[in-house]
Amino acid sequence: MTVYVDNMNARFGRMKMCHMLADSDEELLAMADKIGVQRRWHQHPGTIKSHFDICTSKREKAVDLGAVQIDYPSDVAKIMKARRAALAKTQV
């Protein structure tokens, strides 16, 4: 299982934001707790789009704790595609 952070660098006010996603919601929530991101910011929980938008300082903390750095949008798209395929297999 893995937690990922991308390099999106989107502006939100004065902050720069990126995505944090994981192979499971449990792992994603555990990392959010470790880096101090409130669970109420969890977007699309329980779906293939499950993620957090986090600021770059939280991204650095996540990387220090073992999160894998990925490229936006290419690697994020690959992860979403794999999630969609896995979901399709479970629904057959």
Side-chain angles (χ1 to χ4, degrees):
M1 299 295 227
T2 306
V3 175
Y4 307 93
V5 290
D6 68 21
N7 55 354
M8 181 175 65
N9 280 331
R11 289 218 175 261
F12 183 74
R14 294 182 295 163
M15 293 185 293
K16 288 190 177 179
M17 306 293 284
C18 67
H19 298 114
M20 179 173 73
L21 50 153
D23 291 336
S24 71
D25 277 357
E26 293 79 20
E27 193 169 25
L28 182 62
L29 292 171
M31 181 63 81
D33 292 343
K34 289 178 187 174
I35 66 173
V37 174
Q38 295 181 25
R39 289 182 173 212
R40 68 184 175 117
W41 299 113
H42 190 182
Q43 297 181 40
H44 309 284
T47 72
I48 63 169
K49 295 180 179 182
S50 176
H51 74 283
F52 281 92
D53 291 342
I54 60 172
C55 64
T56 53
S57 63
K58 300 292 185 185
R59 181 186 190 277
E60 291 173 16
K61 287 182 180 182
V63 170
D64 288 345
L65 291 169
V68 175
Q69 299 179 71
I70 60 174
D71 289 324
Y72 178 84
S74 60
D75 290 335
V76 174
K78 289 176 190 174
I79 291 168
M80 293 297 127
K81 185 176 180 180
R83 286 179 176 179
R84 195 172 290 112
L87 181 62
K89 285 181 183 179
T90 64
Q91 293 179 340
V92 173

